[in-house]
Amino acid sequence: MSIIEIAQKTRVSARKLAVLSADAKNQAIEAIAKALEAAAPDIVAANVADCKAAEVDGIAKPLYDRLKLDESKLKSAIAGVRDVAKLPDPIGVVQIHRELDTGLILKRVTCPLGVLGIIFEARPEALIQIVSLAIKSGNGVILKGGKEAVRSCEILTKVIHQALAETAVNPEVVQLLTTREETIELLKMDEYVDLIIPRGSNSFVRFVQENTRIPVLGHADGICHLYADKAADIQKAVEISVDAKTQYPAACNAIETLLVHSAIAPKFLPAVAAALQQKKVELRGDEKTRPILENIAEATETDWSTEYSDLILSIKIVDSVEEAINHINTYGSRHTDVIVTEDSEAAETFLNGVDAAGVYHNCSTRFADGFRYGFGAEVGISTQQMPPRGPVGLEGLITYKYRVVGDGHVAASYVGKDAKEFTHRDL
């Protein structure tokens, strides 16, 4: 089939999905979870083949980490599928119920967006998350995985199609593309695709944003910060720093810059450096940091705006929470930033002053995740100012329509000399 035919089929099947009951959608999602469990050995084997081929091609370590779908990752993804099924149905929710006049009633009711175009590098588990969220929200989805994950994506789609074939959901609501040429064509499908969600490197996301007229939901960088305030608990700050950098360094919510108040730098920096270096983290420091931590590389201006996605961390000493905020707002990507402090006033200043989708106090930036937020899963993370912002779950995949029901009402009755008045009474 051509891309247009694929998009048309997805649109038709999505319109049927949009009117299915919550029970029918949940049954389909549970069928997917069971099918994935049953096919786990085959899925992992396909992913191993992808990983081996990618290694031969010289894949970068951060991308390899995202590509790998082992038993543990797959089990977690399946748990996320079932969590999505447990969530309230986002469709048909009445957001506004208002009497405009006697017998003239307005309702604003949630409905699906339509068709989603999801383009992602590596990250085969993203396919699982996105499909479950798309079905729950009543949307069709056209998926395009990276060439490095083609075997993984193909078997996952095959398993999902087989599962849906036994349910009320038409398998054609889920489509998979496999070539770069198809990606370019998908970006032109503004007549059939309502939202593009790219997941991958900053250059990849920017390419998508610059080559489509379809609305794009995504983030181009994950430059996250941890600020250790002068009132920080040193041990707490060390533990949070290590987790935020090393728990999964390839993730977009791992920190890339550590900001340290000058008052605690002599005590904190040796402690955190020892803990980080034990985890094989390469440290780079500004001119105030390097006299305290000898034998580390110099941090340049470029480092402050670099997403390493690896075991590299830049360190800068600042003299106030305001200076930390200014640095973050200058170089950050509005993803997730954290302050570690026992001073509630400093924490409030930071939380109010930092312009980011996630602002944290005394916890790791790694919590910036749809599954950890209780969304079941996420389709991606948005750093744009307009909502949805941060990890995007079901709420980012719906829109609404206004329903007005009257009894012969006409607009002319509400203008002129004897105009009727609206009651505008919320029901």
Side-chain angles (χ1 to χ4, degrees), residues 27-218:
Q27 287 167 10
I29 293 169
E30 176 57 26
I32 289 172
K34 287 180 178 177
L36 291 171
E37 285 176 333
D42 293 336
I43 294 168
V44 172
N47 183 254
V48 168
D50 278 335
C51 289
K52 287 180 179 178
E55 284 184 298
V56 172
D57 290 340
I59 189 173
K61 185 179 182 300
L63 198 58
Y64 178 87
D65 291 341
R66 293 171 183 156
L67 172 62
K68 190 175 181 181
L69 181 62
D70 56 19
E71 289 182 17
S72 176
K73 262 191 185 181
L74 180 58
K75 186 176 180 180
S76 177
I78 294 170
V81 171
R82 289 199 163 105
D83 284 342
V84 169
K86 296 173 187 174
L87 295 172
D89 190 351
I91 303 304
V93 176
V94 178
Q95 298 178 325
I96 296 174
H97 188 192
R98 181 172 298 155
E99 177 192 84
L100 304 183
D101 194 6
T102 303
L104 185 62
I105 307 299
L106 164 74
K107 288 183 180 180
R108 190 170 82 185
V109 184
T110 58
C111 60
L113 283 173
V115 175
L116 314 174
I118 316 291
I119 311 171
F120 52 97
E121 290 179 322
R123 303 176 189 269
E125 77 272 19
L127 185 152
I128 300 170
Q129 296 174 346
I130 290 160
V131 167
S132 60
L133 288 168
I135 291 173
K136 183 78 177 194
S137 58
N139 291 290
V141 61
I142 301 173
L143 301 150
K144 170 59 178 72
K147 67 178 192 292
E148 67 284 343
V150 66
R151 298 172 185 85
S152 304
C153 292
E154 285 179 340
I155 191 167
L156 287 170
T157 305
K158 178 183 177 181
V159 170
I160 289 168
H161 279 172
Q162 290 172 342
L164 293 179
E166 303 299 320
T167 74
V169 176
N170 188 332
E172 290 184 346
V173 299
V174 179
Q175 302 282 355
L176 178 68
L177 309 180
T178 57
T179 69
R180 179 179 171 81
E181 291 71 29
E182 288 174 320
T183 302
I184 302 301
E185 288 303 308
L186 177 63
L187 297 179
K188 300 174 183 176
M189 295 289 105
D190 51 296
E191 184 178 350
Y192 303 105
V193 179
D194 300 284
L195 180 67
I196 295 285
I197 304 176
R199 295 183 64 167
S201 66
N202 53 3
S203 59
F204 166 71
V205 175
R206 285 203 179 97
F207 172 83
V208 171
Q209 291 170 331
E210 293 167 2
N211 286 276
T212 186
R213 291 186 302 228
I214 304 168
V216 177
L217 187 154

Side-chain angles (χ1 to χ4, degrees), residues 175-371:
Q175 302 282 355
L176 178 68
L177 309 180
T178 57
T179 69
R180 179 179 171 81
E181 291 71 29
E182 288 174 320
T183 302
I184 302 301
E185 288 303 308
L186 177 63
L187 297 179
K188 300 174 183 176
M189 295 289 105
D190 51 296
E191 184 178 350
Y192 303 105
V193 179
D194 300 284
L195 180 67
I196 295 285
I197 304 176
R199 295 183 64 167
S201 66
N202 53 3
S203 59
F204 166 71
V205 175
R206 285 203 179 97
F207 172 83
V208 171
Q209 291 170 331
E210 293 167 2
N211 286 276
T212 186
R213 291 186 302 228
I214 304 168
V216 177
L217 187 154
H219 70 278
D221 296 283
I223 303 172
C224 303
H225 300 76
L226 185 147
Y227 166 57
D229 185 50
K230 64 180 179 182
D233 178 301
I234 298 296
Q235 186 57 34
K236 191 182 292 182
V238 169
E239 291 176 1
I240 294 173
S241 298
V242 171
D243 183 86
K245 179 70 252 185
T246 69
Q247 198 269 332
Y248 186 18
C252 59
N253 57 14
I255 60 170
E256 310 293 11
T257 299
L258 176 62
L259 302 172
V260 183
H261 196 288
S262 55
I264 66 164
K267 184 177 180 181
F268 171 67
L269 282 176
V272 75
L276 289 166
Q277 288 170 333
Q278 191 173 5
K279 295 280 191 176
K280 311 295 185 186
V281 178
E282 175 193 333
L283 301 178
R284 301 175 184 179
D286 71 345
E287 66 279 359
K288 294 181 181 178
T289 300
R290 294 175 71 210
I292 300 173
L293 300 178
E294 299 178 358
N295 301 319
I296 70 169
E298 178 185 359
T300 67
E301 181 73 14
T302 302
D303 285 302
W304 308 133
S305 53
T306 297
E307 181 182 14
Y308 302 115
S309 299
D310 203 352
L311 292 173
I312 304 171
L313 182 67
S314 294
I315 304 173
K316 179 181 179 66
I317 292 176
V318 295
D319 293 322
S320 66
V321 63
E322 289 79 13
E323 187 180 348
I325 292 169
N326 183 61
H327 178 96
I328 293 169
N329 287 342
T330 300
Y331 297 100
S333 61
R334 302 191 296 191
H335 192 298
T336 307
D337 304 288
V338 58
I339 180 173
V340 180
T341 186
E342 302 305 305
D343 181 344
S344 58
E345 187 175 331
E348 196 64 19
T349 298
F350 183 92
L351 298 177
N352 289 332
V354 169
D355 179 14
V359 283
Y360 291 9
H361 176 205
N362 284 353
C363 59
S364 172
T365 54
R366 288 283 293 123
F367 287 107
D369 175 82
F371 178 75

